[in-house]
Amino acid sequence: MRFAKDFKDYELLDVNNSNRLERWGDVILIRPDPQAIWQLPQDEKLWKKAHAVYHRSSAGGGYWEVLKSVPDVWSISYNDLKFNLKPMGFKHTGLFPEQAVNWSLMQEIISKQKRPIKVLNLFAYTGGATVACLKAGAAVTHVDASRGMVAWAKENAVISGVADKQVRWLVDDCKKFVEREIRRGNKYDGIVMDPPSYGRGPNGEVWKLENNLEELLKLTSQVLSDNPVFFLLNTYTAGMSSTVLNYMVEEYIAKGKKGKVTTDEIGLKVTYRDLIMPAGNTTIWKMD
């Protein structure tokens, strides 16, 4: 399992009783984590440091209970990247910290190239991968179906000092965008996509990973350049095994190319338990 070892502004303090206790800069939050199914003794003094806790509702969704003062918006850093955070509905904060290990990997790949690199970021959310790739010198096309998330990503680009770099911000359905890029003949040297298990496009288009991933992989293979350097797919759906994901990327993305496909879990190190909490799979093809 891969995990970031240098994320000083984020810390997964503990996981227990279907919850995680996390430090985001100076703010400590409790959020649900269905994988933390164990109910073991815990440090109550540690858990009482939380500024807010998210409670799920039996009717769906949930709400934040504020225990101490929490800023409306605050920022954290990962190396030379900065991100704005805020408690959102459905327990989110606007950042998936486990992705830091992939941000660093993409930066390493891009920085080794002796030519301009174009990256396509699909389901790009608040732009963690976008600002990382821009910081490494790539030109990035950022695509997400949510206007609010794209606006948030622009804020992250500003505070990370990359808003003046070569970037396109697009509110669009990812599949329809890729289809148009195929017709236009546009190509990319790197593609990263972080699709949800289930979602909707800006015009109500339904996305379900198990039903739509194969088609999207076939489409994105057509916008890879003749000399690509990486393809990175993040998945969080428990029903799709790492073996299946690895096979699909080998078949639709890597076939006929040099390089290697790997699929592994990414995770977060837990301070109190001295374990690494799994947080999804990443399938990567990269040129040797």
Side-chain angles (χ1 to χ4, degrees), residues 228-267:
V229 291
F230 74 84
F231 175 90
L232 191 150
L233 168 67
N234 292 303
T235 55
Y236 304 94
T237 303
M240 297 192 73
S241 76
S242 58
T243 301
V244 168
L245 293 165
N246 202 86
Y247 172 75
M248 292 177 74
V249 172
E250 283 185 339
E251 181 67 24
Y252 298 124
I253 301 297
K255 196 169 187 178
K257 299 181 180 67
K258 296 180 179 179
K260 183 179 180 181
V261 177
T262 58
T263 299
D264 50 21
E265 285 187 301
I266 58 174

Side-chain angles (χ1 to χ4, degrees), residues 87-106:
M88 301 164 58
F90 298 99
K91 81 176 184 178
H92 296 303
T93 63
L95 196 68
F96 293 99
E98 65 271 12
Q99 290 299 327
V101 68
N102 287 331
W103 304 333
S104 293
L105 174 63
M106 288 184 286

Side-chain angles (χ1 to χ4, degrees), residues 73-122:
V73 179
W74 72 100
S75 300
I76 65 171
S77 299
Y78 174 68
N79 296 332
D80 56 353
L81 309 177
K82 291 185 178 181
F83 306 100
N84 282 339
L85 305 177
K86 59 184 175 183
M88 301 164 58
F90 298 99
K91 81 176 184 178
H92 296 303
T93 63
L95 196 68
F96 293 99
E98 65 271 12
Q99 290 299 327
V101 68
N102 287 331
W103 304 333
S104 293
L105 174 63
M106 288 184 286
Q107 286 187 313
E108 179 184 355
I109 294 171
I110 292 166
S111 63
K112 288 180 179 179
Q113 309 307 312
K114 300 187 181 340
R115 59 186 173 93
I117 296 296
K118 291 175 60 180
V119 172
L120 174 60
N121 187 7
L122 298 173

